Amino acid sequence: MGCVNGKCCSRYPSSTDGDSGGYGEMGSCRNATNKHILTQRSLEIVPVPSQNYELQYSVLTQRGYYPDSPDKENQDSFCIRTQIQGNPNVHFFGVFDGHGHFGTECSRFVKNRLSEILANDPTLLDDPVKAYNSAFLMTNYELHSSEIDDSMSGTTAVTVLVIGDAIYVANVGDSRAVIAVKNGNRIVAENLSSDQTPFRKDEYERVKLCGARVLSVDQVEGLKDPDIQTWGDEESQGGDPPRLWVQNGMYPGTAFTRSVGDSTAEKIGVISVPEVSMVRLTPNHLFFVVASDGVFEFLSSQTVVDMVARYPDSRDACAAIAGESYKIWLEHENRTDDITIIIVHIKGLSNSGAGDTDGTTGANRNPTSSRTGRGSSDSSAASGSEIYRSIRSEFTDLQLSMNRSPAIVVPSPSQPWELVGLLIGLWMGVSGAFCQN
């Protein structure tokens, strides 16, 4: 969820920078070349030779339905870069959820610059955590200095950097990364990132110290007591969440506490410093998902993992998750958010492959517990999963501001029957009803 005003791949070694677009991988149909008929995309595979396993991935990005803004662009972007620094064991996956009037420009700028800065950092393999922090802060600085007006616009960013048998996850905002862990006969969802919103006590206290008023829309409009500073949880209060406001104004209204861009909200504590976690992969790790909050607004991490697990082909899983997300959005709103999802299956990793981080260098890690956020996994984490979180970056003087496009407020009374029919058709197509070999 965003501000109160609203809320391309090829086989290795090439990389993918996904701009906002129309329909992504909506369907499970394949033609003679093993590509989806609707998208003409094949499953992508990239090897990690140091550990003798492969990453098999697919991606979908889908514009939301906006009855009041039929020409509104998809403000989501994604970036997939393989063989970072020419190293076949280092790969990058990122999802960027733009918001505000110039959200599309912000998400595209950040997905390009963040990955480029990381790729050009000579310390990346020696200290991925430091490289991540530097890259986010530098990208934020460059966005402020660019021709893009980011005073009331910006983007969230959730990224996964694979280095050998370790994955480093850096998150700013309320998009999410989650990994599937085999635990006996069950597949458990384990969050790799923690949504940064005022629902989190630590984030709430931090932005309050920076001068933010934290109130829901109903509180700002006088419909509820503004002195009551408790809002339940994100599952039950997602429709009217606590938001950040300047002391004497009705802006920016951000429902998250970190982003890239948003120079206005930066003045009240919205920062671009990422939280970075690390997981050492084991054979029990089956796949990970990186997605915008268009997916996780109404679907829990466990639900998403369960859906992915049902489909051998991750393109079909992308289509199913997008269809379900749209369906539930339209049950609660008369609009939907943009949706972007990357699914990466971990193929062939064995215990004998575990060892060096990347086959070249090591990295220091500090083990701590990982925090769960909105829609967190419905089950406890598997004991075999080793989660490491780096020392959480302290917020710095380089803070961000942001203002998303309409994420919750949808005044249009129109009923999107045509879209519902299309989505039902696409959704049915996932089960094979409209597929051919």
Side-chain angles (χ1 to χ4, degrees):
M1 65 188 71
C3 76
V4 71
N5 297 321
K7 189 153 158 180
C8 48
C9 305
S10 59
R11 192 173 177 84
Y12 66 89
S14 62
S15 301
T16 298
D17 289 329
D19 288 333
S20 310
Y23 281 101
E25 310 222 0
M26 299 294 290
S28 58
C29 304
R30 286 173 287 277
N31 58 21
T33 62
N34 200 36
K35 292 183 178 180
H36 275 223
I37 290 176
L38 292 178
T39 65
Q40 292 298 296
R41 279 184 177 165
S42 301
L43 276 176
E44 312 299 334
I45 300 173
V46 62
V48 184
S50 69
Q51 307 300 322
N52 196 30
Y53 75 96
E54 291 183 334
L55 299 173
Q56 184 182 88
Y57 60 90
S58 63
V59 61
L60 172 153
T61 185
Q62 171 60 48
R63 176 185 177 273
Y65 171 73
Y66 303 99
D68 282 355
S69 304
D71 298 323
K72 185 176 183 293
E73 289 183 280
N74 179 357
Q75 294 186 307
D76 284 1
S77 295
F78 67 89
C79 178
I80 299 171
R81 294 187 65 158
T82 59
Q83 299 194 18
I84 298 291
Q85 298 184 352
N87 190 323
N89 304 303
V90 184
H91 313 288
F92 176 86
F93 303 87
V95 169
F96 307 87
D97 183 351
H99 47 262
H101 187 71
F102 299 104
T104 302
E105 292 86 345
C106 289
S107 70
R108 289 178 178 176
F109 181 95
V110 172
K111 63 104 174 178
N112 286 325
R113 288 302 297 143
L114 182 67
S115 60
E116 289 172 5
I117 292 170
L118 276 176
N120 292 324
D121 191 333
T123 71
L124 178 64
L125 298 182
D126 294 320
D127 195 341
V129 175
K130 180 180 178 182
Y132 250 142
N133 277 278
S134 297
F136 270 85
L137 292 175
M138 179 58 69
T139 301
N140 184 58
Y141 173 79
E142 291 186 2
L143 180 57
H144 287 343
S145 303
S146 72
E147 296 181 354
I148 300 170
D149 179 1
D150 72 345
S151 58
M152 298 287 281
S153 299
T155 185
T156 64
V158 59
T159 67
V160 175
L161 180 68
V162 178
I163 304 180
D165 67 343
I167 60 174
Y168 292 84
V169 181
N171 179 55
V172 165
D174 56 0
S175 293
R176 189 182 303 169
V178 59
I179 195 165
V181 186
K182 185 177 181 181
N183 185 9
N185 294 325
R186 301 165 57 230
I187 298 178
V188 178
E190 185 175 279
N191 284 340
L192 296 172
S193 62
S194 175
D195 300 351
Q196 296 151 352
T197 75
F199 283 108
R200 271 177 50 176
K201 183 179 179 181
D202 59 339
E203 289 291 279
Y204 166 83
E205 292 176 347
R206 183 179 61 75
V207 297
K208 289 280 283 186
L209 286 173
C210 292
R213 289 190 301 154
V214 182
L215 302 168
S216 68
V217 171
D218 281 350
Q219 288 176 313
V220 167
E221 294 180 347
L223 301 177
K224 291 184 179 179
D225 185 353
D227 293 328
I228 298 176
Q229 293 283 282
T230 56
W231 298 273
D233 57 44
E234 293 188 71
E235 294 289 344
S236 61
Q237 297 297 321
D240 188 23
R243 297 175 179 272
L244 277 60
W245 313 85
V246 298
Q247 287 297 321
N248 298 306
M250 298 286 287
Y251 63 93
T254 63
F256 46 84
T257 55
R258 303 194 189 199
S259 74
V260 182
D262 304 308
S263 57
T264 299
E266 191 173 74
K267 298 178 177 68
I268 55 172
V270 177
I271 60 174
S272 61
V273 179
E275 290 181 313
V276 184
S277 62
M278 189 279 267
V279 172
R280 173 81 64 184
L281 295 176
T282 74
N284 289 330
H285 292 107
L286 305 180
F287 56 83
F288 60 85
V289 178
V290 188
S292 62
D293 73 332
V295 169
F296 292 112
E297 182 72 26
F298 295 110
L299 298 181
S300 71
S301 297
Q302 188 63 51
T303 298
V304 169
V305 162
D306 289 343
M307 293 184 72
V308 175
R310 293 191 196 116
Y311 296 91
D313 190 323
S314 57
R315 294 170 295 182
D316 299 342
C318 282
I321 291 167
E324 181 69 5
S325 297
Y326 266 63
K327 171 178 172 287
I328 299 177
W329 267 98
L330 292 174
E331 288 174 357
H332 291 82
E333 312 277 354
N334 67 343
R335 59 173 288 277
T336 76
D337 200 358
D338 302 327
I339 290 172
T340 300
I341 180 170
I342 300 172
I343 299 174
V344 183
H345 279 87
I346 302 160
K347 299 285 189 178
L349 183 64
S350 64
N351 282 318
S352 60
D356 294 337
T357 302
D358 62 354
T360 57
T361 62
N364 295 325
R365 304 170 188 90
N366 296 308
T368 70
S369 61
S370 72
R371 178 187 285 111
T372 57
R374 176 191 67 218
S376 58
S377 69
D378 301 331
S379 309
S380 59
S383 58
S385 174
E386 302 176 37
I387 297 225
Y388 294 81
R389 183 174 297 279
S390 70
I391 298 175
R392 178 168 295 125
S393 304
E394 298 295 335
F395 70 93
T396 70
D397 292 335
L398 280 175
Q399 297 174 341
L400 291 154
S401 66
M402 80 165 293
N403 186 290
R404 273 188 162 174
S405 46
I408 296 300
V409 182
V410 189
S412 171
S414 61
Q415 297 296 325
W417 298 115
E418 252 183 43
L419 179 64
V420 172
L422 174 62
L423 288 169
I424 290 173
L426 291 171
W427 200 26
M428 291 175 63
V430 171
S431 64
F434 300 108
C435 295
Q436 63 184 42
N437 293 326

